[in-house]
Amino acid sequence: MEVVNTFMTWIFKNRIGQIENFKTNPIEVQEKLLTELLENAKNTEFGKKYKFSKIRSYGDFVKNVPIHTYEEIKPYIEKTMKGTQNVLWPSEIIWFSKSSGTTSSRSKFIPVSEESLEDCHFKGGKDMLSLYVSNYPDSKLFTGKGLSIGGSLSKNPYDGQSEIQVGDISAVITHNLPLWVQFARTPSLDVALMSEWEAKIERMAEEVMDENVVSISGVPTWTIVLLQRILELKKAKNILEVWPNLEVFFHGAVAFGPYRNLFKELIPSPKMRYVETYNASEGFFGIQDQKESDELLLMLDYGIFYEFIPMEDNLKEPSNAIPLSAVEVGKNYAMLITTNGGLWRYAIGDTIKFTNTSPYRIKISGRTKHFINAFGEEVIVENADKAVQIASEATNATITNYTAAPVYFGDSKSKGAHEWVIEFKNMPKDKDAFLAKLDQSLREVNSDYDAKRYKDLALTAPKIHFVEEGIFEKWLKSKGKLGGQNKVPRLSNSREYIEEVLKLM
């Protein structure tokens, strides 16, 4: 296995030169990519409608092609799912990623072309390994199995008899992985793609607990559930007693900060490494490329052309969209993407901040719809995650999930507040101290929140429901969203989610 590890490490390190190219020439790479995307799709239904063949510059592109939300691009997607090809993209599309970015009842289906699968999602996975072994040349990553925790596939909801399939992007990727990768991963394909999540966790635990697992890839929430079940079955104190060679967890989908303490309990090794990725249904966008920083390198040669809208601007105002060359460090942007899967100036709903422009590195700051701004406080997910992490560390608590929403004015004499439901593995001994630290931390990271909290002027102290593990799993199950990449919405400007959770308590 040492020979195999040395050979595979050498193979993956060869990609580093290409990564350095787009880091050195980011704007040229992006401009060339846009030209190629327009040329490839000029004869599609979408390309003809918006006159791709006449576009000669980024200015022409902005003028000709409007920004699209999912609802606006949905008719083209549905047409493809019903059997018509060459609508959004020229190559045949038979895979659709079922978006799980929110827990709303409405599903979103994102086209996954052969090009987006090969040149984006697969390439992202390979680059994740390339950057990792480049940072850690002593890695034994290829001496054992990689455990991946993903979703499931289902039939085309528009035509169950067609060859078109839908599923979580993790399931689409897993199903299409090359044979050599299938040999290097666990669990078996049949188990990995099971749809009934509770049975799936049980089967996965039984199948993977006796493997030599050296890496894990998945969403923190469901990884925790699996690891806890394995510890129960093996009667082990921590996961290193089960997998002594485990060295890295590649994670994404939700911020890792609030889960860090829990993973330290499950995997008590100072040598354990955590690498964040930014891989969504719509594409693979970023990878943590530095050892000591959780910033994400924006991957610029994956067939995705990027645009950004400052969050203070109207998402539907095309003139406010800017290309990569015009972004500024520290600003909060909504991200638009044009992809080799047939998404054109598509607003994915995520917000990011640039931490660097040479090379371009980012941090995910939240969702365009997941925030609390009921009283002008403008609290985003990034603020909430940070405050929860600080409060947990200060009170030796370990959280597993949370959601928060505003408490609106009841009458002219009442004041607003934020109401939280926080689920703990280890409950803080001093709940008042946790609440005070959470409030204090929010005030420190968000000046608008601080201003509204000044002398309880507009906002009173937060109200927190401290709950044991299980309530959010119960809620997700009630929504038919248990498992895969489904996750609890951290923040909402309405009380829809929190009221549903409170009813289950």
Side-chain angles (χ1 to χ4, degrees):
M1 291 304 292
E2 286 293 337
V3 174
V4 172
N5 188 69
T6 301
F7 175 72
M8 292 301 292
T9 299
W10 176 78
I11 289 289
F12 278 98
K13 279 186 178 179
N14 283 338
R15 163 67 177 156
I16 298 300
Q18 294 171 325
I19 293 174
E20 289 299 323
N21 177 57
F22 75 68
K23 287 169 67 175
T24 306
N25 307 291
I27 307 307
E28 293 87 340
V29 168
Q30 280 281 282
E31 289 175 346
K32 180 182 178 184
L33 198 152
L34 177 59
T35 300
E36 291 173 350
L37 291 170
L38 292 167
E39 176 65 25
N40 288 338
K42 66 182 180 182
N43 293 320
T44 62
E45 180 180 321
F46 193 92
K48 290 177 180 178
K49 178 178 180 179
Y50 292 107
K51 300 179 175 59
F52 282 8
S53 61
K54 295 184 178 181
I55 295 176
R56 298 289 181 268
S57 66
Y58 174 67
D60 290 344
F61 180 59
V62 171
K63 184 179 178 180
N64 280 33
V65 185
I67 292 171
H68 285 76
T69 63
Y70 181 78
E71 290 304 315
E72 290 160 335
I73 209 165
K74 182 180 177 181
Y76 301 98
I77 293 174
E78 286 186 338
K79 191 171 185 178
T80 306
M81 295 183 78
K82 290 175 181 177
T84 304
Q85 294 292 339
N86 202 39
V87 178
L88 289 164
W89 189 251
S91 62
E92 185 181 27
I93 296 176
I94 61 171
W95 293 96
F96 287 82
S97 172
K98 187 175 180 180
S99 176
S100 51
T102 73
T103 51
S104 67
S105 57
R106 185 178 61 222
S107 295
K108 296 180 181 180
F109 300 101
I110 305 300
V112 182
S113 67
E114 181 181 348
E115 292 85 351
S116 61
L117 196 60
E118 290 286 343
D119 298 332
C120 183
H121 292 291
F122 285 174
K123 196 173 185 178
K126 287 185 281 189
D127 282 356
M128 176 185 76
L129 300 179
S130 297
L131 289 165
Y132 179 76
V133 297
S134 178
N135 282 333
Y136 302 100
D138 61 338
S139 168
K140 305 298 182 184
L141 197 64
F142 304 104
T143 61
K145 293 286 185 75
L147 166 63
S148 55
I149 304 169
S152 59
L153 299 172
S154 58
K155 291 183 178 180
N156 179 1
Y158 294 99
D159 180 4
Q161 302 304 312
S162 75
E163 62 178 338
I164 289 175
Q165 291 191 72
V166 304
D168 293 339
I169 188 59
S170 56
V172 174
I173 292 170
T174 300
H175 186 277
N176 288 283
L177 284 172
L179 191 60
W180 70 268
V181 180
Q182 298 289 7
F183 280 121
R185 57 166 300 282
T186 189
S188 61
L189 196 58
D190 288 344
V191 172
L193 297 178
M194 285 176 64
S195 58
E196 208 293 300
W197 191 251
E198 290 170 304
K200 179 176 181 171
I201 285 289
E202 194 68 21
R203 287 282 303 278
M204 285 184 73
E206 292 171 353
E207 191 168 300
V208 306
M209 64 185 186
D210 292 320
E211 294 277 11
N212 177 27
V213 172
V214 294
S215 70
I216 304 173
S217 302
V219 178
T221 41
W222 301 111
T223 302
I224 288 168
V225 174
L226 177 63
L227 296 185
Q228 289 174 334
R229 181 57 183 146
I230 290 171
L231 292 180
E232 290 174 2
L233 291 172
K234 297 290 283 187
K235 295 181 173 55
K237 293 181 180 178
N238 64 70
I239 212 67
L240 294 177
E241 294 180 6
V242 182
W243 298 323
N245 299 317
L246 180 64
E247 64 174 81
V248 61
F249 176 35
F250 299 106
H251 60 86
V254 297
F256 189 65
Y259 298 98
R260 192 173 295 277
N261 284 344
L262 182 50
F263 273 89
K264 285 181 178 179
E265 290 180 23
L266 291 168
I267 313 169
S269 168
K271 296 182 179 180
M272 183 66 185
R273 298 155 183 160
Y274 298 92
V275 176
E276 184 173 0
T277 65
Y278 185 8
N279 187 19
S281 297
E282 298 86 354
F284 203 124
F285 307 129
I287 303 170
Q288 182 180 335
D289 68 318
Q290 302 171 101
K291 286 184 180 181
E292 306 303 327
S293 173
D294 59 359
E295 299 167 275
L296 301 172
L297 179 67
L298 189 63
M299 310 306 285
L300 301 177
D301 64 349
Y302 285 7
I304 300 173
F305 179 78
Y306 293 98
E307 295 176 88
F308 305 90
I309 302 178
M311 275 301 288
E312 62 265 25
D313 293 343
N314 189 333
L315 288 182
K316 293 303 295 174
E317 180 52 61
S319 63
N320 291 344
I322 58 175
L324 186 66
S325 58
V327 301
E328 298 176 34
V329 170
K331 270 197 170 185
N332 202 30
Y333 294 101
M335 195 159 73
L336 301 179
I337 57 172
T338 290
T339 77
N340 53 6
L343 299 177
W344 300 96
R345 306 199 77 205
Y346 179 75
I348 67 170
D350 287 350
T351 62
I352 59 97
K353 286 183 179 179
F354 282 88
T355 57
N356 202 329
T357 55
S358 182
Y360 287 93
R361 290 196 176 96
I362 62 172
K363 284 190 175 183
I364 305 167
S365 54
R367 299 278 296 173
T368 56
K369 294 182 180 180
H370 287 191
F371 56 86
I372 300 179
N373 192 29
F375 312 100
E377 66 273 47
E378 297 187 19
V379 174
I380 60 176
V381 174
E382 180 185 35
N383 303 152
D385 280 338
K386 185 66 175 177
V388 167
Q389 181 180 355
I390 291 171
S392 297
E393 291 174 350
T395 59
N396 294 316
T398 308
I399 77 132
T400 54
N401 242 318
Y402 75 86
T403 193
V407 177
Y408 288 97
F409 300 137
D411 54 48
S412 60
K413 295 181 180 180
S414 65
K415 295 181 179 181
H418 289 176
E419 186 171 10
W420 298 65
V421 177
I422 306 180
E423 182 182 273
F424 293 86
K425 181 179 185 293
N426 296 323
M427 195 75 69
K429 292 182 180 179
D430 189 336
K431 294 179 180 178
D432 290 337
F434 183 95
L435 189 154
K437 195 66 177 178
L438 176 74
D439 187 37
Q440 176 193 335
S441 300
L442 273 176
R443 297 184 71 164
E444 290 172 354
V445 300
N446 185 311
S447 58
D448 291 312
Y449 177 84
D450 183 47
K452 303 303 181 295
R453 284 285 294 116
Y454 178 69
K455 294 185 177 180
D456 291 345
L457 185 65
L459 286 173
T460 59
K463 177 182 180 181
I464 299 179
H465 300 274
F466 295 82
V467 299
E468 302 285 350
E469 285 184 289
I471 188 68
F472 285 109
E473 185 175 335
K474 186 177 180 181
W475 177 69
L476 285 167
K477 188 175 181 180
S478 74
K479 303 284 286 184
K481 295 287 184 178
L482 189 62
Q485 291 182 309
N486 296 300
K487 47 190 179 287
V488 174
R490 297 303 198 202
L491 306 176
S492 176
N493 226 26
S494 80
R495 291 185 56 81
E496 175 190 357
Y497 303 128
I498 200 166
E499 291 292 354
E500 290 176 349
V501 174
L502 290 173
K503 287 178 182 178
L504 297 174
M505 290 171 57

